[in-house]
Amino acid sequence: DQQVKQNSPSLSVQEGRISILNCDYTNSMFDYFLWYKKYPAEGPTFLISISSIKDKNEDGRFTVFLNKSAKHLSLHIVPSQPGDSAVYFCAARPYSGGGADGLTFGKGTHLIIQP
Amino acid sequence: DAGVIQSPRHEVTEMGQEVTLRCKPISGHDYLFWYRQTMMRGLELLIYFNNNVPIDDSGMPEDRFSAKMPNASFSTLKIQPSEPRDSAVYFCASSPDRVMGYTFGSGTRLTVV
């Protein structure tokens, strides 16, 4: 049973346009959400995070939106650049008062930026 | 800072052999995590340590898998005996606390033939 779902295995976007990557979760105990980026033959690298007390967090070209009622979050990249081509993982962590400390990851979305 | 260092980068072994994967976390990071990545299941948490103590090993698939952290700067993940279905990329990650994002190593690609 997947608790974090990324339903789009791949996404192709033109350079300069907005990339929107989506993520859904089922566990209502999750209260902290992160996005990681992964290039081939490298480990995932932390990109941006958001706590459940917020609905938006912005860092340069990257913005994460959280809709708790829908158990949905999205990552917006604008404008998209060729170097953004990578696999993006959504991850979640349960409520700090209990549960494991480990992150639960989605299966990833391969973003391809077309020139 | 050299980041999280994993060795070897690639390992090819025969079924039934023992395999040991190694990880050196970032100095000062109190949390260490072992993950496995496969096409079917994505990134799965196997086990994590806090201050060298195993906290949650519920993700370890079978008794063939074991992990140790004898000190703050070294951890091993051992598979004995290995099986073809263990073929995957194994990542180690460390974190200074439970709030910050992890720093991952480059992974060990294990192939069991």
Side-chain angles (χ1 to χ4, degrees):
Chain A
D1 177 33
Q2 264 210 300
Q3 298 186 62
V4 177
K5 299 178 185 178
Q6 294 177 257
N7 292 320
S8 299
S10 66
L11 175 68
S12 184
V13 175
Q14 276 208 311
E15 182 179 355
R17 302 281 202 144
I18 184 170
S19 295
I20 300 176
L21 296 99
N22 293 303
C23 177
D24 297 293
Y25 62 96
T26 58
N27 189 340
S28 56
M29 296 293 285
F30 288 147
D31 76 333
Y32 195 70
F33 305 89
L34 307 91
W35 284 93
Y36 282 79
K37 177 179 177 179
K38 183 183 181 304
Y39 292 119
E42 294 183 10
T45 55
F46 171 70
L47 194 56
I48 192 169
S49 64
I50 187 167
S51 164
S52 60
I53 62 173
K54 294 185 174 182
D55 54 18
K56 176 182 174 182
N57 189 26
E58 195 171 350
D59 183 2
R61 296 186 298 114
F62 302 91
T63 303
V64 56
F65 295 92
L66 175 62
N67 182 334
K68 282 177 290 183
S69 61
K71 292 191 176 69
H72 177 83
L73 63 155
S74 60
L75 174 68
H76 293 212
I77 306 172
V78 56
S80 301
Q81 298 175 354
D84 296 331
S85 294
V87 177
Y88 290 78
F89 291 96
C90 172
R93 170 178 288 142
Y95 173 63
S96 58
D101 287 300
L103 292 174
T104 299
F105 284 84
K107 288 190 175 181
T109 296
H110 185 193
L111 176 65
I112 302 161
I113 305 300
Q114 306 276 9
Chain B
D1 189 350
V4 176
I5 300 172
Q6 291 187 246
S7 64
R9 287 299 305 271
H10 302 275
E11 176 81 37
V12 180
T13 191
E14 290 188 345
M15 183 173 64
Q17 296 297 306
E18 177 180 296
V19 175
T20 299
L21 311 181
R22 297 172 175 79
C23 175
K24 177 178 167 52
I26 291 174
S27 177
H29 281 196
D30 292 337
Y31 286 80
L32 183 139
F33 305 83
W34 283 100
Y35 277 84
R36 176 172 70 175
Q37 184 185 23
T38 60
M39 288 293 292
M40 287 294 293
R41 301 175 70 88
L43 274 164
E44 301 174 273
L45 175 65
L46 300 177
I47 185 171
Y48 80 92
F49 297 82
N50 179 213
N51 292 320
N52 313 339
V53 176
I55 302 299
D56 183 0
D57 65 354
S58 60
M60 297 285 261
E62 302 169 33
D63 291 345
R64 299 183 296 106
F65 285 69
S66 62
K68 294 182 180 179
M69 192 165 186
N71 57 62
S73 59
F74 183 65
S75 176
T76 59
L77 178 68
K78 188 174 291 187
I79 308 172
Q80 164 64 16
S82 57
E83 296 182 4
R85 61 194 167 118
D86 301 331
S87 297
V89 181
Y90 291 80
F91 288 103
C92 175
S94 70
S95 177
D97 54 45
R98 71 179 312 281
V99 177
M100 300 293 289
Y102 306 168
T103 301
F104 280 84
S106 297
T108 295
R109 180 173 293 278
L110 173 64
T111 304
V112 183
V113 296

